[in-house]
Amino acid sequence: MPITRRDFLKAAGGLTITAALSAALGQRGANIDSIHAAVAAFDAHQTATAASATTLAVERIVPSVCLLCPSGCGLWARVVDGRLVKLEGSPLHPINLGTLCPKGQSGPELLYNPDRIQGPLRRVGARGEGNWEAISWESALSLVAHRLSTLRESGHPERLAFLYGETRGQMRDLITHFTQAIGSPNAISHDSLNIEAAKLAHLLTQGIYDLLAYDMENANYVVSFGSSFLEASRVPQRFISGYAFIRRGRPQRGKIVVVDPRQGITGAKADEWIPIRPGTDAALALGMANVIISAGLVDREFVEGYSFGYEDWDDEQGVRHKGFKSLVLEQYTPSAVAEITGVPADIIARVAGEFATNRPAVALVPAKGGLLNGSANGLFTAMAIHALNALVGSVEAPGGVLVQHYPSCPGWPELPPDPVAARGRQAERVDGAGTQFPLARHAYQAVADRILAGHPVEVLMLYDANPMYECPNGPGRWAKAFEQVDTIVSFSSFLDETTQYADLVLPDHTFLERWQDDFMEGLGYPGVALRQPVVEPVYDTRNAGDVLIELAQRVGGWVATAFPWPDFVSLLKEQLQDVGVGWDTLTELGLWVQPPYNFANRGSDPWISDVIGRDRQLAPRDGHFDFFSRELYCLLRDRQEADLQRLGIQARGDELFLPHYEPVSFPDDEHEYPLLLNVITLMSLGAHSANANLPTLQEISGMTVGETWDSWLEMNPEAAHERHLEDKDRVWVESAHGKVQTKVRLVPGLRPDVVNLPYNQGHRAVGRWAQNRGVNGLELLGPASEPLTGLAAFTNTRVKVYRA
């Protein structure tokens, strides 16, 4: 009989998972030696079992971390005779606690996928035609290093752009360090496609440029504003665990309210679903704030002692400024908000009262997908939602919002005094972040338009980046932009839509073949898991981290001195040396965490240094939550009227610096295109292009509507009846930017003025199970970027639907 996880814990002296974690940390309680003994007993048992079989087999268990979604769940990989045969959840990992979703279970299909790129490739013929020749790693690295050297010799290293997708731990910093060492400011994240609005809102209010964590297990009341946390949040497994505990893991069951035009899985499992008019969440949050303030239900200690701008205030010149309280009481009465949102005033008042009187209560800001993207309203919406947490004192409090802490690392070496690189780093970013888009840190989708507008890129590098597919209205714009780029280098493991246009492909290992650290998110307390090879590389691929280090060394000179490590594993060992556990233990257990979360006392030094104001650049780091955003005030107070109009901001005066509702601008005619298009992310396929080429995930892609291996359009039965459509009819979905044909499915849990298209179908490439299957709803969206924040526009496209 195979040993089970329960047997494993018994072998560790009957430890619970919590005790095992404590043991792994060397905390009081269980001895860490018992975990080592248990691991050894586990391996010995498996080896003995295999040896007793008719055909001798060598079996081992290797810990790792999943990368098929952002949860970063811990894995135990079962390897027999050097081949991966099964993945299970690690019982030591605090995110998934021994469970593993179907995406994680499908990992072997990624590893052994027949459509993976098997070695370095060089394009032959025109871009996009799919003609390649295999070349050696020596040739590939020499070609790229020579091109980077030429770029520097020409005096224009800033014409390197490095686009990257999902990166945690050291990989994000490595990409940035590499790009800056060459001499370019253009390390550009895809965050502007999804999570950037939430991060900016947290910065402008709490002073933390990051996604925050939520202590759902201890919350009594949860209001989710479009976060779809059970299927498409940033860390879905973490939310699933919190949801389960709030429901059945404690004597007092908490209440969950979902505010979303689409009910979805999260709304179906909530206590209450509020089908709000799309794009009006800010007004609802401020309407709730009106009720809470009017009823005297605010956390008086917090708003008076640890916030700024709640009340009206005078500046140094004696000028009176409006505070949050005055704005909310004047403009956001329940009756006025009901007209904006379509939510009845009595429901607004009731939910607000329940939220404020059933503490701890928490309001969830959407942290993934495009629900906050489309106009400046997205940023102010996230600010308004987070202001609710401040009103009821749920910032840095049990059952509320937590700051995500990370392991302590030595930091990266200072860049050498390279005059060529120093000049290049001072250039304007090619994505327009900080210039064309004043608040933006990244504007990934804008790179194509900026190249076409005359901002030159000579070398484009891509890591987990497929902009032709994942950007609104992407294929045509990016194909034209690529015509202006001399050299395109992709690290993709598959010939996805963008890699098809590359000149060189340096295929990365899959996550099951490489070393990489993963800083845990969603817990609050710090933790790191170690992704390590569970098998030898299946093909002639290399870890992209190793490739970047070798490229830097081949470029030589100052660039080489910026990379003193022989390989990526050496870099990891150096950066993780202070986490509190040795490398051998880290590789054996696969993780290190430091629970529990230590709440900072209000006004204490940790409160000021780590919780409120840590990342502010212009506003005071004084431990005060900003209802009136001083950071935004410093950035925009001197802008002229014409500039504010260009930025698309409708508010003026003090309202501009406070959470407020900005009506979403729809460029298309509402009479011709009466339905709002919502491109939704499913739990099954997620956002990674490669997931669409995994048969297991295609097989479960649309279980909620009984559709798999294809796309579908979700439509309310009332809207379908008006158009004389029946369930499963073939329909055209048309916007001002294009049209696609798919099957309509009637879904009652959806507002009649909204239709939904699932994401991650409609690929033109990637592989045999992804290609030419379904439609990509992003091709219907407008290509514009939001002028203030640089966010991709996901929520302001209207469509019409008619029988095919």
Side-chain angles (χ1 to χ4, degrees), residues 310-329:
Y310 175 73
E311 301 281 1
D312 296 351
W313 59 283
D314 296 326
D315 64 20
E316 294 177 352
Q317 287 72 40
V319 177
R320 192 72 168 171
H321 294 275
K322 181 177 290 186
F324 180 76
K325 176 181 175 181
S326 295
L327 176 72
V328 166
L329 294 180

Side-chain angles (χ1 to χ4, degrees), residues 188-380:
I188 302 169
S189 167
H190 73 167
D191 285 357
S192 61
L193 300 181
N194 43 57
I195 63 176
E196 192 69 6
K199 292 172 68 174
L200 287 172
H202 296 154
L203 172 66
L204 297 179
T205 52
Q206 193 171 332
I208 301 295
Y209 179 66
D210 199 359
L211 297 178
L212 301 175
Y214 298 99
D215 185 18
M216 283 189 65
E217 285 85 349
N218 292 307
N220 289 331
Y221 204 94
V222 178
V223 181
S224 170
F225 286 85
S227 66
S228 192
F229 63 84
L230 290 183
E231 51 186 324
S233 62
R234 174 67 178 175
V235 192
Q237 185 57 55
R238 176 73 187 89
F239 279 106
I240 290 170
S241 299
Y243 168 85
F245 191 85
I246 203 174
R247 288 298 207 187
R248 301 182 65 179
R250 64 188 203 189
Q252 180 186 4
R253 172 176 166 143
K255 181 173 181 178
I256 298 175
V257 178
V258 167
V259 178
D260 199 313
R262 176 181 182 259
Q263 186 181 49
I265 293 174
T266 307
K269 292 184 175 294
D271 296 282
E272 184 173 358
W273 169 51
I274 299 177
I276 191 171
R277 186 170 291 136
T280 63
D281 299 64
L284 178 60
L286 296 169
M288 291 176 60
N290 178 291
V291 174
I292 293 169
I293 294 171
S294 299
L297 297 176
V298 300
D299 184 319
R300 187 64 56 188
E301 178 193 11
F302 186 90
V303 300
E304 292 181 355
Y306 303 99
S307 76
F308 177 86
Y310 175 73
E311 301 281 1
D312 296 351
W313 59 283
D314 296 326
D315 64 20
E316 294 177 352
Q317 287 72 40
V319 177
R320 192 72 168 171
H321 294 275
K322 181 177 290 186
F324 180 76
K325 176 181 175 181
S326 295
L327 176 72
V328 166
L329 294 180
E330 291 171 9
Q331 298 189 22
Y332 296 99
T333 63
S335 58
V337 170
E339 289 293 321
I340 297 171
T341 63
V343 180
D346 61 325
I347 293 180
I348 297 171
R350 174 179 55 78
V351 171
E354 292 174 354
F355 180 80
T357 57
N358 289 277
R359 301 180 193 174
V362 65
L364 306 185
V365 178
K368 195 178 179 196
L371 292 178
L372 294 178
N373 296 25
S375 70
N377 180 60
L379 174 66
F380 295 114

Side-chain angles (χ1 to χ4, degrees), residues 743-768:
K743 180 190 298 185
V744 67
R745 296 308 312 266
L746 305 189
V747 178
L750 176 66
R751 282 183 59 92
D753 53 354
V754 178
V755 290
N756 298 317
L757 263 178
Y759 178 69
N760 215 356
Q761 297 281 19
H763 285 279
R764 294 182 172 91
V766 181
R768 68 195 68 186

